[in-house]
Amino acid sequence: MTPDFEPADTHVAQRLAALTGETDESVILAVALAVRALRAGSVCVDLRAAAGEFGTDADTWLAAVRASPLIGPPAVLHLFGDLLYLDRYWREEQQVCDDALALLAAQPPGPTPEVARLFPDGFDEQRAAAKLALAQGLTVLTGGPGTGKTTTVARLLALLAEQAALAGRASPRIALAAPTGKAAARLQEAVRAEVDRLDPVDRARLTGLPATTLHRLLGALPNTSSRFRHHRGNRLPHDVIVVDEASMVSLTMMARLLEAVRPQTRLLLVGDPDQLASVEAGAVLADLVDGLGADRVAALHTSHRFGESIGALATAIRDGDADGALEVLAAGGPHIAWTPSCDALRDVLLPHALRLREAALLGDAPGATSVLDEHRLLCAHRHGPFGVTHWNRQVQRWLTEATGDPMWSVWYAGRPVLVTANDYGLKLYNGDTGVTVATPEGLRVAIGAASFSTGRLTEVDTMHAMTIHKSQGSQADEVTVLLPSEDSRLLTRELFYTAVTRAKRAVRVVGSAAEVRAAIDRQAVRATGLGPRLRR
């Protein structure tokens, strides 16, 4: 066994072998690799690719696995070509494939409204996307930041409401959802802002439209994170479901969503397939884009958000053009800054923390929240010299030096916080952010429009810095991206692209040219079979 196996990997493999009477060490190794792959985000392991790692003949290894009692019946393992799966993930991937193709083939009822009314000249890409969405039950809408995904969603919802009216039906029941609370809040705010720009008759048909997390939409059950109140025997009641930030949705969650969607429901999956995939196993959005092909995916390409320099940097990273990215960084400008070392971070982080503290001491919750969203320090790691824990402590030390107030307590005015777990009782969700503010009643934490006593919040972290993974679904005016050393396994193109595209106005990259190049050259490839299954 190689050094990067966890005890659980080998324990599961040995236990399954013992239960089925399997004694071939090469098969036990294959099972351990399948378990290890899940920790890395893959849903299976490519045994032919792995054979070189262990000096094993791939054909002999695959033959041994095919002959194993673990293949069943009953099946503990499954082979799909050279890909080896544990049973659960094999079933979930096949289910996602079957349900996605069934929705895609559904013929939506009703007359087709005039698309050009809501997508006039100048909305060419969005108009093409809307026409595709009107013609099929499942639509995958992709595009980078600022390409008009939210505009397309809002206007498409208006078209679907018009279609229902033309057919004499009631307005469609619409659900807006996202993987995290922060992403759901952003989706709700953005869609409502776009709806407010529409004609009065369209606005009247699209009143309210609250957004929620996928867990809450499906009906979270106690003591399980993989089963929900809504399922194939108790479908969701909605006519239209929009899921934003779909790149963050794992295979298991997508399986639970698709089995809960009624056959006649319109499902719109929105996201950027070039961003980081879900923390859990799977890369479903990227697989759907790959498997369905250009003719069945609504893709937006033209960004209207970034200044030219940030857009050029994001594009170079996405396309794997390290030379181009380094040219953009070296050129600099009002929206791009690049420094090879961490020495300059004090001059960036301390002033921001002091402004946050000042607003918090004044009891100005809206002002403190606004300051919080001015800047984010994004790190790849949680621990170590390039990690969130280190930089949160460093900023607190700088605050003590600058103010003379020692911060002995966990809670202090100006402490930014990140919610790390859903709390349905408090209506707080993983990814929500807030600021600790001084009030006449003592310290309270402002999160959105709500305020909480510090004693009620247990699942929160300090957020002078946050991980790039946690930043998905959020934005800040200015973003500082702290790259780890070039040998870090987390340093990938998808990670770098996700971090840079969190910025609205300015990006600062902290890292050497070698680290920038390593990030862009290394892709986070996940082993899955969904794309090939969809193409069958």
Side-chain angles (χ1 to χ4, degrees), residues 299-522:
L300 306 178
H301 302 287
T302 306
S303 178
H304 307 281
R305 175 187 301 165
F306 294 135
E308 182 178 347
S309 55
I310 298 180
L313 177 60
T315 299
I317 296 170
R318 183 195 64 202
D319 295 345
D321 182 4
D323 290 336
L326 288 167
E327 287 178 12
V328 175
L329 289 171
H335 306 293
I336 294 282
W338 180 29
T339 177
S341 74
C342 302
D343 295 343
L345 280 181
R346 187 180 192 278
D347 293 336
V348 175
L349 301 178
L350 179 57
H352 180 253
L354 288 171
R355 290 198 306 275
L356 195 60
R357 179 177 183 271
E358 180 181 9
L361 287 171
L362 292 173
D364 182 4
T369 301
S370 178
V371 171
L372 179 64
D373 290 337
E374 289 177 5
H375 182 266
R376 290 281 192 279
L377 172 62
L378 302 182
C379 305
H381 293 264
R382 286 193 58 82
H383 305 291
F386 302 101
V388 167
T389 302
H390 169 80
W391 286 98
N392 276 326
R393 290 173 179 165
Q394 183 62 66
V395 172
Q396 289 172 335
R397 282 194 290 268
W398 287 334
L399 279 171
T400 296
E401 293 170 3
T403 64
D405 294 335
M407 296 181 183
W408 304 115
S409 173
V410 170
W411 292 102
Y412 54 88
R415 180 195 180 195
V417 297
L418 173 71
V419 177
T420 58
N422 295 332
D423 187 326
Y424 296 110
L426 295 180
K427 296 184 179 180
L428 293 177
Y429 306 105
N430 187 6
D432 285 348
T433 59
V435 186
T436 310
V437 178
T439 74
E441 295 78 32
L443 293 177
R444 295 186 66 83
V445 183
I447 302 177
S451 174
F452 304 90
S453 66
T454 58
R456 300 186 71 187
L457 302 180
T458 55
E459 302 292 338
V460 296
D461 286 341
T462 301
M463 200 193 69
H464 292 295
M466 70 187 304
T467 64
I468 297 169
H469 273 92
K470 285 286 189 181
S471 75
Q472 283 186 275
S474 66
Q475 291 179 311
D477 293 336
E478 182 180 340
V479 162
T480 296
V481 184
L482 178 57
L483 297 179
S485 59
E486 56 188 294
D487 60 353
S488 167
R489 289 188 176 186
L490 296 182
L491 189 61
T492 64
R493 183 185 305 176
E494 292 80 3
L495 185 96
F496 195 11
Y497 174 82
T498 299
V500 165
T501 54
R502 298 310 90 205
K504 294 181 183 178
R505 184 181 56 81
V507 170
R508 178 183 296 98
V509 175
V510 180
S512 67
E515 289 159 354
V516 170
R517 191 174 293 279
I520 296 173
D521 289 344
R522 186 184 301 140

Side-chain angles (χ1 to χ4, degrees), residues 205-235:
R205 291 170 178 158
L206 299 174
T207 57
L209 294 184
T212 187
T213 63
L214 276 174
H215 279 81
R216 196 172 181 92
L217 174 71
L218 291 171
L221 295 174
N223 303 320
T224 177
S225 60
S226 61
R227 290 293 170 184
F228 298 90
R229 185 165 56 86
H230 289 289
H231 45 73
R232 208 173 295 279
N234 180 30
R235 308 268 191 161

